[in-house]
Each structure stands twice: as structure tokens, then as C-alpha cells.
């Protein structure tokens, strides 16, 4: 099914539900309205967790395409009413109702948006400096089959793609391969080309309205999605380059690592090649806890319902498995840059759960 058709169907369904909910009894009999809404909710409750997450994103995108006002506000309430997350872990639902994930809180703060753009610019500058005078044919062991030239071309393509999205703000998916990003023919020129692409993104993101609607490959179809996305990409690939050149990555500051880890967990249910394997792990109720020893941050992941839920909390059910390390090390573990047997990680509980998660969530 095409993105355009999915968006159209979601917009029609969200509009219908909102019209029913906002109609008075003279327009629509109340009992009939309740029956329609209950029937719709029952049909959607049969979807797996990953599909419901996708539907939430489509509903929100439909709402954000409308001008501000009561109709838009009504559309924005549709996902919560129809999501049917009854199969999520009760303790996490209580916690998530009380404390929003860090990525969501950042999305509500325009000052944080600009801070994230600055962080992207700083990491992009470090990446350009790291690869600027090295042989582009240097292998990258954490990206098998790639050289530093391949890595730099990829990262420059991501920055150029994101610049286009925050500038043009399309409502449907745009593939990087369809854009004239014009990488140079000589790989030795890739670092300068990457730096220009990164500068283009940060300039565009600083001047764009962070709340402006735009298609995104995640939960938040707005401009503010992209600094988080680019920060995570740049931090992880900077680590790739450092490992390729020196054998180890420099420490990642805890706040940056936490933002990137939040982004990964928030976006994972919308990435088909992650969401589908996770949906078939058959580990419902298993709890994986990640604890950052450098900051005290804790992430609790509960599998089930055709996917997983997560919270920035160390309370609730006892973990089936847990991993403790610095926040940046946990980020690189989830991105499979470090192996779980690395001595920097302290592991407890069911090792198979950690291995199953890492195998299913590989990018």
C-alpha cells in the first residue's frame, strides 16, 4: 500500500471519529455514535503493537496537516482513544502517564530544539575533523564492508536528505536517492562535501518552525524530529570513524547519549525491519533494563503485545535481564557497535533476552 493511500485512509478515519465525537444529539443519536466508536476501537484493537504505533503516527500526521483550531485539537485526541494499549505492562502505563519520555519532553521545548541543532553541528564538525585527512579506503569494522569514504558519503547523504525535509516539508515520504545531493566523484573530497551538507541542515533547522508538520520515519511528523534523528546518526557514526582509526570510540557525554538512546527507542516501532522481528520474539512480559552508571538514567523495556513499551524508570517489575554501563556505551551496544560480552558491560539475568533483543533490533 502506498504512503499516499495510507495517509488518506488515516485522515478519513480520524475525520470520521472526530465528527462522531463532536456531533450533538440533534445531529447524531448518542447511542449510534457510541456504537460506531466502540466498533471502530474493537477492530483496531486486533492490530499488533507495531501496527498501532504506525496508526498513531498516521493519525497525528493527519491532524498536524490541519490549521490550528478546534478541529485540529479534536483530531489530535483520536490516537489516545483508539490505541487500545491494554496489553502493555500496567506498571509502565502508570509510569508513562506520569513521566513522558525524554524525547517527548524535548519535542515540546523550542529552546531544546535549538540546543539539539547546536549539538548536531558540534558532532558534525568533530566528524569532519576526524575523517578530513585520512585514507577514505580505511575499513570500518563496525560497518562490515564499508570504508571511511562509504561512511562519510552515507552521513552526508543523511544530512542533505534531512535538510530537504525541514525546508520543503513534504507530507509524504521522500527517499534520499531521489534528491540531487551531488556527492563528489573523488572519495577524498567527501569530508568537505559532508561538512557542507551538515552546515546546510543546521542552517535550515535553526530557521524552521520546530512544530511545522513534515513526514518523518518515526512518531513525530514535525521538523523537531530531525535534529534528534541527525544527532543520533552523527554520534553513532562518529564512534564508527573513531573505532576505525584508533580501535575505540571517545566517551559520549551522558546527555547526548541519552537523547540518542531515547530517539532510538521512540523510533524503533516505526522501522519495519526492527518492528517485525521484535513482534515475533515470543517473549511477552520479559523486561530488559538498561542502567547508565555515569548519569543514573534508567531505561526499562517490556516486551509484549506485538512489540514493546519503554519508560525512563527503574521502578516496576523485576527485570528479566539488565545491563549497566555508561550511557554512551549503552547507546553503542543497542547499535551493535559493542558486543554484550565486552567487559565494559555488567550483565545480570537472562542473557538470551539481551541477545534476542539485539538480534531483532539490528539496523
Amino acid at each position: 500500500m502506498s504512503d499516499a493511500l495510507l495517509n488518506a485512509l488515516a485522515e478519513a478515519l480520524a475525520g470520521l471519529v472526530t465528527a462522531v465525537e463532536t456531533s450533538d444529539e440533534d445531529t447524531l443519536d448518542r447511542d449510534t455514535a457510541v456504537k460506531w466508536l466502540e466498533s471502530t476501537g474493537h477492530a483496531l484493537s486486533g492490530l499488533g503493537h507495531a501496527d498501532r504505533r504506525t496508526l498513531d503516527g498516521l493519525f497525528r500526521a493527519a491532524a498536524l496537516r490541519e490549521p490550528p483550531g478546534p478541529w485540529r485539537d479534536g483530531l489530535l485526541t483520536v490516537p489516545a482513544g483508539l490505541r487500545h494499549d491494554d496489553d502493555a505492562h500496567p506498571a509502565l502505563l502508570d509510569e508513562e502517564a506520569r513521566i513522558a519520555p525524554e524525547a517527548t519532553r524535548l519535542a515540546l521545548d523550542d529552546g531544546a530544539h535549538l540546543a539539539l541543532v547546536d549539538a548536531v553541528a558540534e558532532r558534525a564538525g568533530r566528524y569532519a575533523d576526524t575523517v578530513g585527512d585520512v585514507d577514505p579506503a580505511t575499513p570500518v569494522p563496525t560497518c562490515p564492508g564499508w570504508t571511511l569514504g562509504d561512511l562519510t558519503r552515507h552521513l552526508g547523504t543523511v544530512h542533505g536528505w534531512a535538510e530537504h525535509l525541514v525546508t520543503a516539508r513534504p507530507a509524504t515520504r521522500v527517499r534520499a536517492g531521489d534528491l540531487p545531493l551531488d556527492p563528489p566523484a573523488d572519495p577524498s573530497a567527501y569530508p568537505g562535501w559532508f561538512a557542507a551538507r551538515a552546515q546546510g541542515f543546521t542552517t535550515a533547522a535553526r530557521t524552521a518552525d520546530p512544530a511545522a508538520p513534515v513526514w518523518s520515519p518515526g512518531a513525530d511528523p514535525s521538523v523537531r524530529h530531525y535534529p534528534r534523528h541527525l544527532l543520533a546518526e552523527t554520534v553513532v557514526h562518529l564512534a564508527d570513524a573513531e573505532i576505525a582509526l584508533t580501535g575505540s570510540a571517545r566517551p559520549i557525554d551522558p546527555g547526548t547519549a541519552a537523547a540518542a538512546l531515547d530517539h532510538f527507542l521512540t523510533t524503533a516501532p516505526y522501522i519495519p525491519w526492527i518492528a517485525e522481528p521484535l513482534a515475533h520474539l515470543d517473549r511477552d512480559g520479559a523486561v530488559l533494563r538498561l542502567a547508565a552508571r555515569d548519569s543514573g538514567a534508567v531505561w526499562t523495556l517490556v516486551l509484549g503485545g506485538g512489540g514493546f513499551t519503554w519508560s525512563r524508570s527503574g521502578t516496576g517489575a523485576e527485570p528479566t535481564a539488565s545491563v549497566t554501563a555508561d550511557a554512551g556505551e549503552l547507546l553503542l551496544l543497542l547499535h551493535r557497535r559493542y558486543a554484550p560480552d565486552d567487559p565494559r558491560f555488567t550483565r545480570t539475568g537472562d542473557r538470551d533476552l539481551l541477545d534476542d533483543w539485539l538480534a531483532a533490533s539490528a539496523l
Side-chain angles (χ1 to χ4, degrees), residues 321-332:
S322 65
V323 185
T324 301
D326 289 348
E329 294 166 346
L330 293 172
L331 173 68
L332 296 180

Side-chain angles (χ1 to χ4, degrees), residues 8-235:
L9 290 173
E11 188 164 340
L13 178 57
L16 174 62
V17 171
T18 302
V20 170
E21 286 187 326
T22 57
S23 294
D24 57 37
E25 293 188 9
D26 292 336
T27 304
L28 179 65
D29 174 74
R30 188 66 182 169
D31 290 340
T32 301
V34 170
K35 181 179 179 181
W36 284 1
L37 292 175
E38 287 181 345
S39 297
T40 303
H42 177 72
L44 295 180
S45 69
L47 295 174
H49 187 74
D51 286 335
R52 292 199 305 277
R53 290 276 190 135
T54 300
L55 191 61
D56 283 357
L58 291 170
F59 281 149
R60 180 169 172 77
L64 292 177
R65 287 194 291 271
E66 297 293 327
W71 179 251
R72 183 187 192 185
D73 293 341
L75 289 171
L76 285 169
T77 68
V78 172
L82 296 179
R83 188 168 53 209
H84 284 264
D85 278 334
D86 296 337
D87 51 357
H89 194 281
L92 280 188
L93 289 178
D94 291 342
E95 183 66 17
E96 287 177 340
R98 188 175 68 84
I99 304 176
E102 183 70 10
T104 303
R105 291 203 298 275
L106 287 173
L108 299 176
D109 184 347
D110 289 355
H113 167 81
L114 292 176
L116 284 169
V117 175
D118 290 342
V120 173
E122 192 273 333
R123 267 57 177 200
R126 280 173 50 184
Y127 182 89
D129 290 343
T130 298
V131 302
D133 295 319
V134 301
D135 183 356
T138 302
V140 181
T142 48
C143 300
W146 277 20
T147 64
L148 278 178
D150 297 325
L151 185 69
T152 304
R153 177 174 175 145
H154 163 75
L155 193 54
T157 297
V158 173
H159 279 255
W161 168 77
E163 176 190 357
H164 171 81
L165 287 164
V166 302
T167 303
R169 296 195 289 277
T172 57
R173 182 180 182 182
V174 173
R175 297 178 185 275
D178 296 331
L179 300 175
L181 300 177
D182 301 324
D186 182 359
S188 66
Y190 286 168
W193 171 79
F194 161 75
R197 298 279 68 75
Q199 179 62 51
F201 168 75
T202 55
T203 298
R206 284 193 182 104
T207 57
D209 175 5
V214 57
W215 174 87
S216 80
D220 186 3
S222 70
V223 164
R224 60 170 66 94
H225 167 92
Y226 287 95
R228 298 196 300 269
H229 186 84
L230 267 291
L231 181 61
E233 284 271 345
T234 308
V235 165

